[in-house]
Structure formats: C-alpha cells, structure tokens
Amino acid sequence: MACWVDSAPANIALIKYMGKEEGNMPVNISLSYTIERFSTTVELDDAAEYDYLEDDLGLTREQRDRFLVHLRYIKSRMDFGGYFRVRSSNNFPHGAGIASSASSFAALTKVACKAIADIESRPMLSSRELSEIARHGSGSAARSLFGPWCIFDRGEARSVEFPYTIIHELILIDGARKKISSSEAHKLVRSSLLFSNRVERAHVRCQRLIDSLTSQNWHDAYQICWGEFWDMHALFETSTPHFGYIGGNTMHVLRRLEEFWLQHKDGPIVTLDAGPNIHLLWRDDDLRKLFRASASDLTFI
Ligand code: PMV
C-alpha cells in the first residue's frame, strides 16, 4: 500500500493577521517567524471508500471535520477522485498552548498534493501554489510554507531574510484549549471601534518592523512588536461581546520582561498569539541565559 509523509512547521506572527474575508483572505498584511522546531507530520495512505482521520492531536469533532473538509478542498482543486486515511501528529506537547492549525493545515496540503501528484504522475506544485491552497484550511498556514521569516500580503506569502539568528522560546502560562477560537476572533473583532483603521496600523507597523530588522535596530523591533500584540489584544477586549486571554499571570511576566529590558537596555522581542502564552525571540547571545537564571519559576518550552 502506498504511503506519503510530510511535515510543516508552526509560525508566530509579529504583525498579526486579524479579520478575514471569504477563503481566509486576510484583511491586513502580516509578518511571521517560522518555528522550525515545532512541527506537524501528516501521513496519508490509500483508502477504499472514504477519507478518514486518525489523529494524535486530541482534536475536537469540529476540528477533525475541518481537517477533512480541507482534504476534500485539496482533492477538488486537484480534480482527484480517490480517498485517503490521514494520520497526524505534532512534535510539540499537547497542552503547550501552541496552536497547531498553521503547521497541520500546511502539512496536510503538502502531503496531499504530493500524493496526488505521484498517483497521477503530475508535476509537484510550487511552494507558492501550496501556500495558496493551505490558506483555505487556515490563513496562517499559508505562512508555514516559507521561512525563516514570512510576509503574507493580499493572500500571497513569501520568504524574507533578516540578518539575525533567532532562538525562539515559549513561556507557558496556560496550556488549556482556548475558549474563543481564532476563527471566532476574526469575526468578533469587526465589532470593535478600533477595527476601523486596523488595516492601516498593521501596514505601518509592518513597514517599520521590516526597516528596523533590516537595519538591525533590535530595540525598535521590540517596541513595534510590543505595540502590535497589544493592538490585537485591545481589539479583543473592545469587541462586542468582549473577550480576552491576558490575565494576571501573563501580565506579571510581561512586566518582568519590561523590567529586564529597562535594566539591560536589551532583551527579546516579545509577542502573544490569541492566547495567554508568551513567545520570546532572542538574538543568539548570552542575554537569554541571564533571563533564564532569574526566571526559574517559569515554564519554558
Ligand atoms: O490562521 P487562523 O485563521 O487561525 O488565524 C490566525 C490568527 C492569529 O494567530 C491570531 C494571528 C496570526 O497572524 O497568526
């Protein structure tokens, strides 16, 4: 029996995509860092009569259906009539508070397109084409086809490079499944008064971030990313109904990171996804060890 396996990494947005149109078309530009060490692997085998999923991710019924709907979408795009058994697993722990939708939809897209190309002796699609298809599963999945950094603008993702070697760390505050999914968040934020010029704000910040990373102005990059995650979380907190992810524990650690920056005039880029956990991007130097030494009470992943 033929079998195909492929994987794709997670990514964390520094300029966030929030608000989308039909086909997961983002309303604004985003810029992400690809987290190579966190990936999803998807395995496909031929199946006789229907597609089915054996997942190792502890997905809800709704999430499983969404995965199979995306497989159907890929097959219809490729005009393919066969069926697959799908197996999916992450190399990052369950309950780590890391959304796996980007890596899982990107991995499913890669492996299904590869399997169909093999079966039908067709040429493999380009990363650009795969990314466009992955976007229909989850907007942020479009970025997981490119690294080490990715710009995603008007539905098209592409790689960018900046002169940094990055070490990514996650401070785990809460690993529970979030109550409001990002799909719901994309809809709810439109009710916030702050949404009216969100697209412009994201655009201006993105350009500034590109300039500061290119010119190695790390401090400016940190400031821009700090403002940006608060912008997204302010949209959440000013929506009707309002919702949010930042509680006392997250806030406490954010203040410690601010103090670290004040004391050392240096530190990591800090960002939050739609969740309470804190992503840190460090330059590859000794500062990271200094922070770690003062933070033995925190859980790093
Ligand atoms: O890919 P989605 O539709 O789950 O949206 C992701 C949205 C955020 O993670 C909150 C921000 C982003 O740009 O990744």
Side-chain angles (χ1 to χ4, degrees), residues 26 28 95-96 103 115 128 148 168 172 226 254 260:
N28 68 273
S103 53
R128 210 169 139 202
H168 168 267
L172 184 67
W226 186 275
L254 289 174
F260 186 86

Side-chain angles (χ1 to χ4, degrees), residues 39-41 56-57 88-94 98-100 103-104:
S39 64
T40 301
T41 298
D56 179 32
L57 308 177
S88 179
S89 59
N90 286 342
N91 73 350
F92 44 93
H94 287 174
I98 305 156
S100 60
S103 53
S104 56

Side-chain angles (χ1 to χ4, degrees), residues 1 3-4 40-48 50-61 63-65 67-68 71 84-90 94 104 108 111:
M1 185 163 57
C3 173
W4 296 267
T40 301
T41 298
V42 177
E43 206 177 306
L44 295 187
D45 301 308
D46 295 318
Y50 51 90
D51 296 318
Y52 63 102
L53 173 65
E54 288 172 8
D55 92 287
D56 179 32
L57 308 177
L59 299 178
T60 61
R61 180 71 201 244
Q63 288 169 322
R64 295 168 65 92
D65 289 349
F67 213 52
L68 289 176
L71 178 60
F84 294 111
R85 177 178 67 160
V86 186
R87 268 178 297 183
S88 179
S89 59
N90 286 342
H94 287 174
S104 56
L108 175 62
V111 73

